[in-house]
Amino acid sequence: MAKYFDVHPENPQRRIISSVADSIRSGGLVVYPTDSCFALGCQLGSRDGIDRIRTIRNLDDRHHFTLVCQNFAQLGQFVYVDNDVFRAIKAATPGSYTFILPATKEVPRQLLHPKKKTVGVRIPDHVVAQALVAELGEPLLSSTLLLPGDDEPMTQGWEIKDRLEHVVDVVVDSGDCGTEPTTVIDFSGGEPEIVRRGAGDTTRFE
């Protein structure tokens, strides 16, 4: 039975954020809000968490998981970013973008694209997501909460709890955060390739 937390969208309660972070460190799978839509999240090295996300979303091994980072210093530990790419990403973050980049050795192998050795990274522009990642002290391994057969992500925390309370451990709700997933930009080849058009404006990458 999943725990449900109603978190203030602008001033998230520290005790709740701390409790959710503790659940993640203990191997828990959480649903949390971002600046695009709700996401599933677990600890970076949690093989069980990865397997549970794959099962819930019916994903294959080619799916790019995302490391949700607090800032650039953290992001730079997990992906290789040259100067030109750095400037392009810096101008677009924090925001509703996921960037696919070559992974460093800090990224667990099971998270990598099997052929490209890449991983998705992003810095969200969302108070609650930022508070959670800051409290955790490391990136949050994430995937958009879009269930098989659904055309759009769910927007209501209570609905998410009703549908997923037996397969996730925590649902964090801070209000409607939209249905449009992040815009995905692949920088692994040097030049930006728009993989998915979503909540982030693609103009700067075209």
Side-chain angles (χ1 to χ4, degrees):
M1 189 73 72
K3 295 179 180 178
Y4 176 85
F5 293 111
D6 189 4
V7 179
H8 194 283
E10 297 175 4
N11 297 292
Q13 301 92 316
R14 179 68 186 272
R15 61 177 179 79
I16 294 179
I17 297 299
S18 178
S19 177
V20 176
D22 286 343
S23 295
I24 293 167
R25 294 188 192 102
S26 300
L29 180 61
V30 306
V31 175
Y32 71 101
T34 77
D35 52 348
S36 56
C37 48
F38 280 98
L40 292 158
C42 68
Q43 193 169 32
L44 182 60
S46 174
R47 184 177 292 275
D48 178 66
I50 294 168
D51 290 343
R52 290 168 70 187
I53 292 173
R54 287 191 192 280
T55 299
I56 290 170
R57 290 205 53 201
N58 192 26
L59 301 172
D60 61 28
D61 64 358
R62 295 186 301 277
H63 176 75
H64 267 111
F65 283 98
T66 299
L67 303 182
V68 174
C69 301
Q70 182 184 359
N71 50 38
F72 258 95
Q74 194 175 74
L75 182 147
Q77 298 175 42
F78 296 91
V79 290
Y80 294 106
V81 186
D82 66 26
N83 289 338
D84 290 341
V85 172
F86 175 87
R87 284 191 290 270
I89 294 177
K90 182 75 170 175
T93 56
S96 302
Y97 298 91
T98 297
F99 301 100
I100 297 172
L101 290 159
T104 69
K105 293 181 179 179
E106 298 294 318
V107 179
R109 190 171 61 182
Q110 66 265 31
L111 300 185
L112 303 179
H113 187 283
K115 292 183 178 179
K116 296 182 178 181
K117 307 304 179 191
T118 51
V119 70
V121 289
R122 87 182 200 90
I123 303 171
D125 186 15
H126 192 280
V127 172
V128 176
Q130 278 284 345
L132 184 54
V133 177
E135 181 68 23
L136 197 59
E138 64 180 24
L140 184 58
L141 170 62
S142 294
S143 182
T144 302
L145 178 54
L146 180 59
L147 299 181
D150 285 4
D151 293 328
E152 291 186 336
M154 288 179 285
T155 61
Q156 303 295 325
W158 60 267
E159 180 189 8
I160 293 169
K161 183 180 185 300
D162 283 350
R163 288 186 65 179
L164 299 180
E165 64 179 353
H166 297 298
V167 292
V168 302
D169 301 295
V170 176
V171 175
V172 179
D173 188 5
S174 65
D176 189 342
C177 53
T179 61
E180 197 168 17
T182 57
T183 290
V184 179
I185 310 293
D186 188 344
F187 270 109
S188 62
E191 294 297 320
E193 177 188 348
I194 300 169
V195 177
R196 179 179 71 196
R197 296 177 187 272
D201 182 12
T202 60
T203 306
R204 69 181 77 223
F205 300 107
E206 294 177 307

